[in-house]
Amino acid sequence: MVCITFIHPDLGIGGAERLIVDAAVALKKNRHDVHIITAHHDSSHCFPETTNGFLPVTVVGDWLPRSVFGRFCALCAYIRMLYAALYLIFFSDIKTDIAICDQVSACIPVLHFKIKTVIFYCHFPDLLQSKPGSSLKTLYRAPLNWIEEVTTGLSDVILVNSEFTRSTFKNTFKTIQTIPKILYPSVNTKFLDEIDNNSVVDLSELGIIKSEYFLSINRYERKKNLNLAIEAFAQLKHKVSSEQWSNFKLVVTGGYDVLVQENIEYFDELRNLAEELEISQKVVFLKSSSDAEKIMLLKNCRTVLYTPSNEHFGIVPLEAMYFGKPIIAVCSGGPLETVLNKTTGFLCAPNAESFADAMQKYVIDEELANQMGHAAKKRFEENFSFDSFSNKLNEIILDHIS
């Protein structure tokens, strides 16, 4: 048994958080001792494995600011992760043989005070996720970007979520000689099956009554480009018959945190967009759907729309594949490695016309959706199963225990 501690900045319900939770579950099921330390964990806005007693979670430093007047979010994240690392090394009694951190690498030098092996999971270089700004912002980001590269290079193992991210990593961090290993995320299918078997969700209570629907699942963040789904659905109206159009809706659901101003603003923007396009009665907006609701939505949709461009990997396509649903995704980033174009779905240009053309095919031919859905399920089982993810992660852990 190996004692493993995860350090993560905010244990909410995003894709990065899902991966950390799944990794912790996988290692615990391989008989390792697992603990998670985080700077924030809201029991009403998190994955159930972190509240039902299965995974122990310790929250430290939540009193530290997440931003300063809405700015300096990256610096605050660095400080919060450093505080969590200092707590683990100098003040806690949590036994740790291997530490695994992600998103913020600044804590790695602190972890090395007592921990021999530190693994860093790079979802995507943080410096590339910062939007260009003024000269003052460039000056602010410069030391943070330098710290990110230097401290990432101090990790003993670097993992990435896709070939796309590995290529980007190598092109971004020129001074790091270590070649990252690819650990494709998966989904905890046993957990999904347990929820599916033990819960009943009435779609009519979610505003979906006797309708076929397209489904978009993503956090309410502008980079997720959810407006593309709405604009494409509006164009679909002109590509199918009025009878076919009347039978369909678009369901948009995703992570919504009242503490994140962008979530609030973007949600309102999307609703206004639907009204401007005169399809507001055909679009259902949901906030932070429960796992049971999300599973029911996935099982009953015609297909899943995945709208981000250059997404590092993307868990949603895997969830869709597991439930036998085809995917319409942007032809860039992670979906290039998960979605087989014209076999398990369609890879499209990031514009409404291209997405609407693909959606039209599924409206006209339901059997096409069924065929591609079966192919998607098979591809998931062969390439992205939770067992495959669990076994590879366990091998990495065992390889670094002397």
Side-chain angles (χ1 to χ4, degrees):
M1 180 184 74
V2 181
C3 296
I4 303 161
T5 300
F6 289 84
I7 303 180
H8 183 79
D10 185 341
L11 204 59
I13 57 173
E17 289 71 41
R18 184 66 259 177
L19 183 138
I20 290 301
V21 170
D22 285 341
V25 169
L27 291 174
K28 186 165 184 178
K29 289 186 175 180
N30 275 300
R31 302 181 183 279
H32 299 301
D33 184 51
V34 176
H35 201 108
I36 301 176
I37 294 178
T38 183
H40 181 72
H41 182 236
D42 182 350
S43 60
S44 65
H45 188 77
C46 64
F47 294 111
E49 298 98 323
T50 66
T51 57
N52 62 12
F54 187 77
L55 295 175
V57 176
T58 298
V59 181
V60 295
D62 203 6
W63 54 272
L64 291 165
R66 296 158 65 106
S67 66
V68 180
F69 301 112
R71 299 180 180 275
F72 307 111
C73 296
L75 177 60
C76 289
Y78 276 41
I79 293 171
R80 288 159 71 91
M81 280 287 275
L82 282 168
Y83 187 88
L86 288 167
Y87 168 81
L88 173 63
I89 297 302
F90 297 110
F91 302 104
S92 81
D93 58 359
I94 300 172
K95 187 177 186 306
T96 305
D97 300 311
I98 293 178
I100 301 177
C101 59
D102 71 317
Q103 293 192 330
V104 178
S105 60
C107 62
I108 292 174
V110 175
L111 296 173
H112 270 308
F113 270 102
K114 285 188 178 179
I115 300 170
K116 181 179 179 181
T117 302
V118 177
I119 298 174
F120 183 69
Y121 196 103
C122 178
H123 304 281
F124 206 67
D126 183 60
L127 65 90
L128 297 181
Q129 302 193 68
S130 174
K131 297 178 182 179
S134 63
S135 299
L136 189 60
K137 181 176 181 180
T138 301
L139 185 63
Y140 155 70
R141 282 293 319 191
L144 297 182
N145 296 344
W146 179 81
I147 291 171
E148 180 183 7
E149 182 163 357
V150 170
T151 56
T152 297
L154 294 176
S155 53
D156 301 288
V157 184
I158 301 172
L159 304 176
V160 292
N161 53 21
S162 64
E163 181 61 51
F164 170 70
T165 299
R166 180 161 69 178
S167 176
T168 303
F169 181 100
K170 290 191 289 186
N171 291 332
T172 303
F173 298 131
K174 302 292 188 180
T175 65
I176 298 177
Q177 301 301 312
T178 303
I179 298 176
K181 298 179 180 180
I182 296 175
L183 177 64
Y184 283 123
S186 184
V187 291
N188 189 344
T189 51
K190 183 177 180 181
F191 171 72
L192 295 179
D193 291 340
E194 289 175 352
I195 293 178
D196 188 25
N197 293 332
N198 295 314
S199 63
V200 177
V201 175
D202 185 353
L203 290 180
S204 65
E205 294 180 357
L206 303 178
I208 307 166
I209 305 172
K210 296 181 180 179
S211 294
E212 295 276 8
Y213 59 92
F214 294 95
L215 176 64
S216 170
I217 303 178
N218 251 309
R219 294 191 304 279
Y220 284 103
E221 296 177 357
R222 294 182 181 90
K223 68 180 181 181
K224 300 301 183 181
N225 202 21
L226 301 178
N227 51 289
L228 173 56
I230 297 169
E231 292 164 356
F233 187 63
Q235 288 205 20
L236 178 66
K237 180 179 181 179
H238 307 293
K239 295 178 180 291
V240 297
S241 69
S242 57
E243 182 180 357
Q244 290 170 326
W245 169 254
S246 66
N247 290 332
F248 274 84
K249 284 189 174 183
L250 170 65
V251 178
V252 180
T253 186
Y256 182 96
D257 189 339
V258 295
L259 297 177
V260 179
Q261 187 63 29
E262 184 183 12
N263 289 175
I264 299 170
E265 294 173 352
Y266 194 42
F267 182 85
D268 290 339
E269 290 173 17
L270 293 172
R271 294 194 66 168
N272 291 337
L273 177 62
E275 291 179 3
E276 291 172 8
L277 296 173
E278 299 180 347
I279 58 171
S280 58
Q281 299 301 313
K282 301 279 286 180
V283 183
V284 178
F285 290 98
L286 304 172
K287 300 176 182 177
S288 297
S289 297
S290 68
D291 286 310
E293 290 170 343
K294 187 170 74 172
I295 289 169
M296 187 60 68
L297 289 168
L298 281 166
K299 290 178 64 177
N300 289 279
C301 69
R302 181 64 63 93
T303 187
V304 171
L305 309 180
Y306 196 64
T307 54
S309 292
N310 294 318
E311 185 74 349
H312 325 144
F313 181 73
I315 291 294
V316 171
L318 294 190
E319 294 174 330
M321 291 162 68
Y322 179 68
F323 286 106
K325 298 298 175 179
I327 307 101
I328 301 173
V330 174
C331 56
S332 65
L336 291 174
E337 298 172 54
T338 54
V339 180
L340 293 181
N341 189 35
K342 300 180 181 179
T343 300
T344 67
F346 291 102
L347 294 171
C348 303
N351 60 64
E353 183 73 21
S354 181
F355 263 64
D357 286 342
M359 294 163 73
Q360 177 196 36
K361 293 180 174 63
Y362 291 128
V363 171
I364 295 173
D365 188 355
E366 183 177 1
E367 185 54 32
L368 176 66
N370 293 333
Q371 290 173 359
M372 287 191 169
H374 288 309
K377 173 76 171 182
K378 182 178 180 182
R379 178 164 172 75
F380 174 87
E381 292 172 342
E382 292 177 349
N383 297 278
F384 303 103
S385 71
F386 191 73
D387 284 344
S388 176
F389 167 80
S390 178
N391 292 337
K392 185 166 184 178
L393 179 57
N394 191 51
E395 288 174 6
I396 292 168
I397 294 296
L398 296 180
D399 283 346
H400 290 84
I401 290 295
S402 57

